[in-house]
Amino acid sequence: MTATQVIAPQGATPPKPAKRRSGVLTALKGHVDLFLNAGSLIATTAITSLLGFVFWWVAARAASPEAVGQASAAVSALTLIGTIGMFGMGTMLISELSQLRGPKWELISTCLLVAGAAATVGGIAYVAVAQLWIPGLKEALGGQAGTVLLVVGIAVNAITLVLDEALIGLLKGPLQLTRNAWFAVIKLVLLAGLAVAPITVTGNELLLTWVAGIVASTAILGVALRRRGLIDSPRPRLSLLKGRGRSTFDHNLLNLASYLPRAAMPLLVTAVLSASANASFYTAFMVLSMLAMIPGSVALTLFAVASGDRRALRSKVRVGLLICVGVGLPGSLLVVLLANPIMSVFGASYADAAGDALRILALTYIPFVFLHFFLAISRVHNRVRRAGVFALFAGAAELAAAWYGGSHGGLTDLVAWFAVVLWIEALCVAPVVLRTVFATGRRGGDTANTTTMTLHERAWLPLEYIRTIGPVYGVTVDGMRKALIGLHAADPKHRAVSKLDRIGARWEHMDGAEFAQFVHRAVQDSGDWSLDMDGMTRKLQSEPRGVHPIRILVGAGYVAIKVSHAYGDAGPVNSLVHELVLAASQGRAAVIPPLERNRMALPKAWWKQFGTKPTRWKEGISFARPPEPEETRMRKWQPNLTVRTARSATALKEMRKWRDEYAPGVTTSAITFAAFTAALYNLGLQPDTSGATFLADGRRYLDKDVRIDSNFCMGPYLSPPDMMDPLSVHTTIKHELATGRILTMMMLREGKIALDGAPGMPDPYPAELPIPPRPRLTFSNQGRHDLLGDLPWSVGPEWRVNLSVPTLNSPEGVTLTTSEMNGVLHLEATFHASTFDPNLISRALELVITDPAGQIMSVRRVEA
């Protein structure tokens, strides 16, 4: 076997190879909804905070301190009561909209109406309390006009807050960002107009700009929604809330329990310490709030995205945590280091009073991440009330701890006790978040009696291929079952005698009694002695994927074994076939020693190839991409996977003879690939010669003492200058293998799987086929199968059947598998009979084994 030979599993190419791209970037592209909507929330906070600061800066210069104080008190009431007045409608909408099949805006408008009414009642109650019992607040109402404006503002604010969350529930985050940006700009422009007008600006005018900004921005949003046709039926129907009362109450409980304690912290600091201490604390707490908006925004978006697809929760949580850790954690550490300079921006006294407090608060970023994600996961799993009760007690504990710290010390002690409670809360909820992150999709079951698949096992889980050999003597169904039962008795956790959990990506292990039943389904008689090796192969091809890592048919002297690619590629499977057939013929237990499941083999190999050699980095990450399919006419199509085979005891000699004369050093596999392409071309099938997928074994890059017993392969897309020239094919493959870039491709694919999970089943076939179809080629050279030479064959090498057949191929795909056994060349072409004429593919194979040189030379003569 030469260094340029490509040895790989059969059938490893998924459908539509020209359209599939793998890697971490592809995984992240699958989370655009999370990035876009969480980013819009973060941008909303940033814009409104920045322009809000400018607003109050202008207000302080355009109006008297009394007017600014009245307006700020009104805005605080507007924000607080408006938030309470949402009454859980916003988060309830996020939960319901993704699952609602009818008109969505009927429910949205109903919730807006209820929130506005509830906030109006809350606003009137606030006015009554201020008028009757709190003189300071009564003075801040601003007379009759100001009072009416405040109540209207509270109602309108509650409506827009619910509307913003409804847009997140519809995954239209950029629209809520647009509304909030307009709100921030409009109220600032109105304030600037007041500032230059020849009037005395009062608190009522300042509040009016705020309310007018809300109304105008909402109107602009309404126009945008109608223009885009996003509003289906805006008429409210209170009957839609029937059956949603409990959900709304639970969401409201959770919202208030998580919001009010933190909102009350400045009041507690003022009561326990002093107003001046609160000024410093509030400034530091504002910096923390800016950091906490990252996990808060991501978690809210996570809830919106995963509510409609709980299966996506794990991958969304992983990406969300990646965002929070990658963006927010460096920021929090920077705040720890620069706490005093940050506080000194507000004045030297702020740095002296709250520098250490800010440093401690910045260290609570990680607890905030876990708490926000815990709340989001609880909402997705409909555990809202339980989370609300937890948040209620947690909030009380935070306030109690802060009170205790402040009563027995200063501001730093108060913040330290508050931080301790936050870390305790994080430790309590972290298991829920981490279970979601590391969950594999299992629901129930004994996870102690399972083994998690490695990343490269999970990568190949959707794919299978079939090894059919024969004729052999002495192999029966009972003998094969006995061999496997013996293997299970010796090693019940061996992957060959385990069960596939496709959803959880695990190997499930069974006791003896369960496996005895399992093996009867796994190993069966072919059921029809008229079936030859092709019939048995087709029968296994047509079976749906199941829980068996190996599925075996025995009959008419042949053994057909369908193997999950998660079990292994050509090397491990050949060892499996050899031992099972030999043990079955000898009436004994199979002995297949498991190898170490080396999870670090790939990173180590990659580091050895690239990590210490920066000059290789550029070449190691530059991949050839399959060309995008051209626009063409389509016809309806249904899959009909078919295989055609050929073998020859003389073809390899003919190839070597031609090679020595015309292309010294070229491998016979390169000659085979080029001859098959040329044969298809000569038969008028017009194969795609811009490139092909060449499956390659990554073990060549491992240390000699490292062995991988599963799948360690990759199929790079390569573009030889001439697909019908063996030298061109050989040189391209040799150069590709020399770069070692398939290790990078494998690393990226496993990074994607670690980030985004992996499917247990392949994607469905498309329903249409281009006209005319062109063969898209995949080449797999499995090398020498001489390991099988000592099986109980009943015929000579030239008559032996040794098939390697995939159970999957793209509509235009033609996969050619080559192997050599005892000097005989074996070829298998797998394709869809609904796409290409099987007689033409059979003819191409015959041309390759009878006259490979003639196919290659005929193309050269035509080109000349």
Side-chain angles (χ1 to χ4, degrees), residues 54-71:
V54 175
F55 177 89
W56 291 112
W57 182 84
V58 174
R61 283 153 179 76
S64 65
E66 292 77 11
V68 173
Q70 175 193 330

Side-chain angles (χ1 to χ4, degrees), residues 44 51 61 125 142 170 175 251 423 452 465 516 564 580 681 772:
T44 294
L51 295 185
R61 283 153 179 76
L170 294 172
L175 288 177
H251 281 292
W423 274 100
T452 303
Y465 78 110
S564 169
L580 287 181
Y681 178 83

Side-chain angles (χ1 to χ4, degrees), residues 113-129:
L113 178 64
V114 173
T120 300
V121 172
I124 294 173
Y126 170 81
V127 170
V129 170

Side-chain angles (χ1 to χ4, degrees), residues 833-855:
S834 50
T835 304
F836 303 111
D837 183 353
N839 293 326
L840 287 178
I841 303 297
S842 294
R843 180 59 180 157
L845 292 176
E846 288 296 324
L847 291 174
V848 172
I849 63 172
T850 58
D851 189 17
Q855 303 309 303

